[in-house]
Amino acid sequence: MAPPRDLFHKRRPIFTCSRPAAPFPPPGEGPSWGRMSGPESSIVQFANVGLRYGTDREVLSDVSFTLYPGSFYFLTGASGAGKTSLLKLLYLAQRPSRGIISMFGEDVITAERRALPEFRRRIGVVFQDFRLVPHLSAYDNVALPLRISGMSEGKLEKPVTDMLEWVGLSHRVDARPETLSGGEQQRVAIARAVIARPEILVADEPTGNVDPEMAVKLLRLFEALNRLGTTVVVATHDVHLLRKVPDSLIMRLDKGRLSDPTGALRYPPRREQRAEA
Amino acid sequence: MSAPSPIRKGAPRFGDSARMMQHGRIAGPMPWVIAIMIALTVMAATAGLALANVAGGARAEIAGGLTVQVVEAAPLERNRQAERALSWFANREDVASVRRVPDDELAALIEPWLGELGTGAEDGGVPVPALIDVRLSGPVTAARLEQMRQGLARQAPAARIDAQASWLAPVFDAIRSLQLLAVGLIVLLAATSAAAVWLSARSALGANRETIETIHHLGGTDGQIAAIFQRQIAFDAALGGAAGLLLGLAAVFVLGQQFADLGSGLVAGGGLGAADWVLVGAIPLVGMVLAVITARYTVISALRRML
Ligand SMILES: Nc1ncnc2c1ncn2[C@@H]1O[C@H](COP(=O)(O)OP(=O)(O)OP(=O)(O)O)[C@@H](O)[C@H]1O
Ligand SMILES: [Mg+2]
């Protein structure tokens, strides 16, 4: 069952660009790309990005890619390959050591610090370690992004309740995170990430702690959000998951270097090869 | 609005409640520290204000005061000169009042020191100078005093004039020092309170670090996060400030009673006026503002270190 459209509360205009109905046009329709006039229609651009923690070796090297609005990406790679590090750059928790990152058409590296919260509100994040606020109930955790954006209590009650129902936690709304199982915590984390209908959703191993059935259900949630225009990036090493989202594109990290097995990250993307991924 | 749901009950508005932060973290000893600081500040401030009133009252009272002594051993000559000095003063326009201190009053004044002996030089007692209290309109200046000395010397060569203010100069100096001490104490107390709030905000920041990071990553602004701390500290400061004010006033009241029992005229001038009480009442409010500003500064400067 697909989640209802109005599950995602906010109806503000998503990052605008002349996007085809499907994330990408079918092969052979090359000329139609003329409408998406190159990188400026992208929502995220990395150019020669490198990241090192302290004085260690680089954990990410020469990472360059472009994400297009409304697309669904999987980020795969072995443990320690740098997936979380790359996502941290994406959700503005980390500055790169070198390279250029632009999001929503703006250079976020030179952006003023006080401009960043506004960017962050347009990005939903499912942290690998959930990061639920320990003394807040499931309800309050999910409501957090809406409260941060200043929504009134009366307005946020219904979307939060609906979202908790969708992730199967109606009976646990008042539970604190410590009393929730790993999978339940993960679902709260996901509900919190998608509730404000972000323009970019970044999820780090979002299905690591749930059973396969729930994993598929949560993927449906991401897909529904994706259909509303959100660009989704899901880091996972569960290869089975990749097949569950037919229109997805794959980014692969190998020891901090990005490979592009499907050509999805190039411009224009080579979509016809993704079946072999 | 729809019927209240159990979920909504007590749900905190963003930053509206201590529940955003680990409860009781910033609280702890904070209200107590603030209470003690405010109580001490109230005491120092009331002492400073009372001293100011004492000094002001005394100064006004003696500002135009002159004491004239006719130091003459022969009683008849002493009386003659005293009368002439009296009429000389009485005829001047810049003299508000002039009064000879009667002999029996004088005797009563010096009796504790000289005993019965002091009274009446006629019967072999110690000769006591005649004393005249003069109140000028306007303060006594050195030039005025000198001019009067010269004028009076022709009428009553045995007369000596002293400005009352000059006798009390050391007392005023002491009062001034005490006032400076009170101001210094208040400044020190404010600085110590700010340091205590700073430490407390820092520890609360540390204890809630993950929560703060999470709110930060979800797009919370520095101002929103600081507001959570500010509200908590404002609450603590209000609580502590009220308790401190009561404590301080109680101490001041007890001390005031004891000074009143002394019955000294000087101390009696040290009561606080309405404006003084307003000032004292404002101390907890100033403390609260100081605490909130300190907490905000601490939290914002710590947040600035995050991307
Ligand atoms: N804060 C940090 N300080 C120093 N090194 C770090 C830090 N975070 C990650 N690393 C290192 O960077 C490398 C990449 O880590 P990262 O967490 O990005 O991997 P990952 O692909 O997400 O792995 P996993 O699948 O296990 O989550 C690892 O070698 C890790 O040890
Ligand atoms: Mg990881």
Side-chain angles (χ1 to χ4, degrees):
Chain A
M1 184 192 97
R5 264 182 76 95
D6 63 357
L7 188 57
F8 308 104
H9 183 75
K10 267 203 174 162
R11 291 261 156 248
R12 74 167 163 219
I14 290 276
F15 178 77
T16 48
C17 81
S18 50
R19 187 174 60 85
F24 295 98
E29 280 188 27
S32 75
W33 281 98
R35 285 170 59 224
M36 278 178 95
S37 44
E40 61 265 32
S41 65
S42 67
I43 192 164
V44 175
Q45 252 195 313
F46 275 48
N48 294 315
V49 170
L51 173 66
R52 64 172 85 236
Y53 294 106
T55 54
D56 282 359
R57 62 182 175 81
E58 280 194 325
V59 296
L60 291 175
S61 304
D62 301 319
V63 173
S64 302
F65 62 87
T66 303
L67 302 185
Y68 293 96
S71 309
F72 198 120
Y73 298 88
F74 278 113
L75 175 62
T76 66
S79 179
K83 299 185 293 297
T84 300
S85 302
L86 180 56
L87 295 188
K88 272 187 188 164
L89 295 174
L90 260 181
Y91 60 73
L92 304 175
Q94 187 83 47
R95 266 187 210 287
S97 316
R98 60 189 175 93
I100 297 169
I101 300 178
S102 72
M103 298 179 83
F104 312 108
E106 284 184 59
D107 182 350
V108 292
I109 294 170
T110 57
E112 275 189 69
R113 190 179 167 280
R114 65 190 160 85
L116 296 182
E118 198 43 55
F119 284 119
R120 293 192 179 104
R121 289 178 195 193
R122 298 161 78 176
I123 305 168
V125 190
V126 183
F127 300 96
Q128 191 166 14
D129 50 359
F130 314 144
R131 307 258 179 102
L132 300 178
V133 179
H135 54 280
L136 291 185
S137 66
Y139 179 94
D140 290 332
N141 264 289
V142 174
L144 206 50
L146 299 181
R147 288 192 175 126
I148 288 172
S149 67
M151 188 182 284
S152 71
E153 291 299 313
K155 268 191 176 170
L156 62 77
E157 183 183 345
K158 185 170 157 42
V160 172
T161 315
D162 289 351
M163 184 59 72
L164 280 165
E165 193 179 336
W166 174 258
V167 297
L169 290 172
S170 306
H171 60 297
R172 303 291 274 146
V173 284
D174 287 325
R176 285 180 169 222
E178 61 188 6
T179 68
L180 296 171
S181 75
E184 285 169 336
Q185 289 182 34
Q186 191 149 46
R187 283 182 272 158
V188 173
I190 289 170
R192 185 180 70 184
V194 301
I195 185 85
R197 205 178 135 188
E199 289 163 64
I200 301 176
L201 176 73
V202 176
D204 200 349
E205 296 287 354
T207 57
N209 292 280
V210 296
D211 56 76
E213 218 170 295
M214 181 50 83
V216 170
K217 194 176 176 195
L218 293 175
L219 266 188
R220 294 286 160 265
L221 191 64
F222 294 160
E223 280 188 274
L225 193 64
N226 178 237
R227 273 195 296 277
L228 292 175
T230 296
T231 306
V232 178
V233 182
V234 177
T236 182
H237 36 223
D238 180 359
V239 287
H240 299 293
L241 219 53
L242 310 189
R243 299 184 212 288
K244 297 269 165 47
V245 184
D247 276 332
S248 61
L249 301 158
I250 293 164
M251 308 160 78
R252 183 169 293 154
L253 266 177
D254 190 13
K255 295 198 184 96
R257 288 182 182 272
L258 194 64
S259 62
D260 185 11
T262 61
L265 306 174
R266 266 187 276 147
Y267 176 79
R270 276 219 317 274
R271 208 167 161 280
E272 61 269 37
Q273 288 185 16
R274 77 160 301 277
E276 297 142 34
Chain B
M1 222 190 72
S2 57
S5 114
I7 309 160
R8 285 262 297 120
K9 242 186 199 162
R13 209 167 287 268
F14 179 80
D16 203 28
S17 141
R19 279 179 61 197
M20 289 304 300
M21 291 290 136
Q22 206 82 24
H23 187 67
R25 283 296 187 167
I26 203 167
M30 223 27 227
W32 293 108
V33 172
I34 290 173
I36 292 166
M37 295 297 178
I38 295 292
L40 292 174
T41 309
V42 164
M43 287 190 254
T46 44
L49 289 169
L51 284 171
N53 291 346
V54 165
R59 198 173 275 126
E61 201 165 290
I62 62 177
L66 287 180
T67 302
V68 179
Q69 298 177 76
V70 182
V71 188
E72 170 59 59
L76 282 176
E77 176 62 11
R78 184 169 67 222
N79 256 331
R80 200 182 60 80
Q81 288 201 19
E83 288 309 318
R84 287 177 62 173
L86 211 57
S87 61
W88 185 79
F89 276 112
N91 288 329
R92 287 183 64 103
E93 279 172 358
D94 58 347
V95 172
S97 72
V98 58
R99 179 183 84 104
R100 177 158 181 195
V101 181
D103 280 342
D104 49 346
E105 198 178 307
L106 209 56
L109 262 177
I110 59 172
E111 201 222 81
W113 283 277
L114 299 179
E116 297 279 338
L117 258 177
T119 52
E122 294 94 328
D123 3 307
V126 180
V128 176
L131 216 57
I132 301 170
D133 245 348
V134 182
R135 193 144 302 278
L136 301 183
S137 40
V140 183
T141 60
R144 236 173 134 188
L145 194 62
E146 196 44 47
Q147 188 234 328
M148 290 205 162
R149 267 191 192 129
Q150 285 172 7
L152 189 61
R154 286 191 290 273
Q155 307 293 320
R160 279 189 212 156
I161 310 181
D162 286 296
Q164 290 171 359
S166 63
W167 296 352
L168 280 174
V171 177
F172 285 132
D173 284 349
I175 288 179
R176 178 138 301 269
S177 302
L178 283 173
Q179 277 180 295
L180 285 178
L181 189 69
V183 170
L185 270 177
I186 292 170
V187 170
L188 277 179
L189 286 168
T192 313
S193 309
V197 171
W198 178 73
L199 280 176
S200 164
R202 292 269 308 201
S203 87
L205 210 58
N208 290 289
R209 182 162 190 88
E210 287 189 7
T211 302
I212 289 165
E213 272 180 7
T214 304
I215 294 173
H216 181 70
H217 287 319
L218 294 180
T221 61
D222 291 358
Q224 282 177 316
I225 295 170
I228 300 169
F229 286 90
Q230 283 166 236
R231 281 202 186 88
Q232 181 70 51
I233 201 86
F235 183 76
D236 288 356
L239 214 70
L245 183 64
L246 286 179
L247 212 73
L249 288 181
V252 165
F253 182 74
V254 170
L255 280 176
Q257 284 293 304
Q258 285 180 339
F259 273 106
D261 289 347
L262 285 181
S264 157
L266 200 63
V267 174
L272 296 189
D276 297 328
W277 287 118
V278 168
L279 217 62
V280 170
I283 289 173
L285 295 179
V286 173
M288 198 164 127
V289 170
L290 182 75
V292 167
I293 290 174
T294 308
R296 179 175 181 83
Y297 174 79
T298 311
V299 174
I300 297 261
S301 58
L303 284 170
R304 286 218 196 289
R305 263 168 257 134
M306 293 183 191
L307 175 61

